[in-house]
Amino acid sequence: GDTEALGMVFAEAQATGLPVVSFNHGGIPEVVVDGKTGLLAPERDYEKLADHIIRYLKDDLFWRESSANGIAWVTHRFDLRKQTHELEQIYSSLAGGASTLSANS
């Protein structure tokens, strides 16, 4: 079936401090760090998904830790300047090191 390519909605949720509960599917694990910024259940394991939701509802400390971790993760992993710099480095290496891209772009 259908596959979630990246799951930007998960990054957006974590950026606001909302821990994520989802299935371990497609590109979602690239955005959600299982056990740290959210909880991922095996695909189609609805009981495990429900257990994860209940854990967040019952464990306020785990919620707060996941919330803080999620904000930090998204800030670090999806920073526009950092990602732009990394992309420019890839382009530069593909162009044989001759880059005309500005460092301030």
Side-chain angles (χ1 to χ4, degrees):
D2 295 335
T3 300
E4 181 73 38
L6 176 68
M8 187 54 72
V9 68
F10 299 109
E12 292 167 346
Q14 293 173 113
T16 67
L18 182 64
V20 171
V21 174
S22 183
F23 292 111
N24 189 343
H25 176 79
I28 295 169
E30 294 180 42
V31 182
V32 179
V33 181
D34 188 31
K36 188 170 180 181
T37 68
L39 293 171
L40 299 175
E43 286 191 57
R44 296 187 171 102
D45 188 343
Y46 299 99
E47 290 178 359
K48 189 59 140 179
L49 185 73
D51 289 344
H52 288 337
I53 293 169
I54 291 168
R55 180 172 182 195
Y56 274 119
L57 294 174
K58 289 184 173 182
D59 190 341
D60 188 54
L61 177 60
F62 184 60
W63 177 289
R64 287 187 307 226
E65 289 173 350
S66 295
S67 176
N69 291 338
I71 292 169
W73 167 249
V74 171
T75 300
H76 170 75
R77 176 75 164 85
F78 296 97
D79 177 72
L80 181 61
R81 286 187 177 96
K82 178 182 174 199
Q83 294 304 317
T84 299
H85 177 72
E86 289 184 21
L87 183 59
E88 288 175 344
Q89 295 302 311
I90 292 169
Y91 288 159
S92 178
S93 70
L94 293 173
S99 176
T100 58
L101 298 173
S102 168
N104 294 326
S105 297

